[in-house]
Amino acid sequence: MTPMKKVAVIGAGTMGQGIAQWFNEQTLAQVFLVDISDVFTEKARQQISKNWDRQIEKKKITSENKNQFTSRLTVGEISSLPQDLDLIIEAVVENLQIKQDLFLQLDHKISPTCIFATNTSSFSIAAIAEPT
């Protein structure tokens, strides 16, 4: 399997932050954390940075690790996503219509080889992807 080069996490809440941070730490992928507003993504970027600072204090990572992670993390609005993503993980509010609208919007923008995933526990992936 080809390594993923570009991963997007949609939804900058607690869950989205955790997913973006994990992908950033565990892969060499460029990670895009996006939401409907730069206010949400900037807050998420700050929280992830604080998490890395705590890991530095506990000697789990180095400052150089944090610099590498930071260089691979891009935050912004959904409209800023590149078309050539390898993976999209949806982590927005648990509302079926919002999830369906998001998948439909991205289906027309993103490469057809991109894998769409969801972090929901409330809805089936088939129900979310139905409009696409």
Side-chain angles (χ1 to χ4, degrees):
M1 178 181 216
T2 305
M4 294 192 187
K5 295 178 182 150
K6 293 182 181 178
V7 174
V9 179
I10 316 291
T14 302
M15 191 62 72
Q17 290 173 30
I19 294 167
Q21 183 176 338
W22 184 90
F23 265 96
N24 194 291
E25 293 173 5
Q26 302 301 318
T27 73
L28 295 177
Q30 180 69 35
V31 177
F32 298 86
L33 178 58
V34 299
D35 210 311
I36 58 173
S37 167
D38 285 336
V39 172
F40 298 133
T41 54
E42 180 55 27
K43 183 178 175 184
R45 187 197 61 72
Q46 291 173 4
Q47 183 59 52
I48 291 170
S49 182
K50 287 179 188 177
N51 293 346
W52 286 329
D53 288 340
R54 281 195 295 274
Q55 289 183 18
I56 291 169
E57 289 172 13
K58 294 178 180 180
K59 303 201 182 306
K60 292 184 175 188
I61 66 170
T62 65
S63 293
E64 185 173 313
N65 293 135
K66 180 184 176 183
N67 291 339
Q68 291 168 350
F69 298 155
T70 301
S71 72
R72 292 195 312 263
L73 179 64
T74 302
V75 299
E77 294 184 19
I78 293 170
S79 60
S80 68
L81 284 175
Q83 292 181 346
D84 60 342
L85 292 167
D86 298 299
L87 173 66
I88 293 173
I89 302 167
E90 169 277 310
V92 299
V93 65
E94 290 297 293
N95 177 298
L96 181 59
Q97 188 64 55
I98 290 172
K99 292 174 185 292
Q100 288 176 329
D101 290 348
L102 175 65
F103 270 38
L104 184 59
Q105 173 189 357
L106 294 172
D107 187 43
H108 295 338
K109 177 181 178 171
I110 304 301
S111 165
T113 61
C114 181
I115 298 168
F116 283 50
T118 182
N119 185 56
T120 189
S121 60
S122 300
F123 307 107
S124 74
I125 189 72
I128 295 170
E130 188 269 327
T132 64

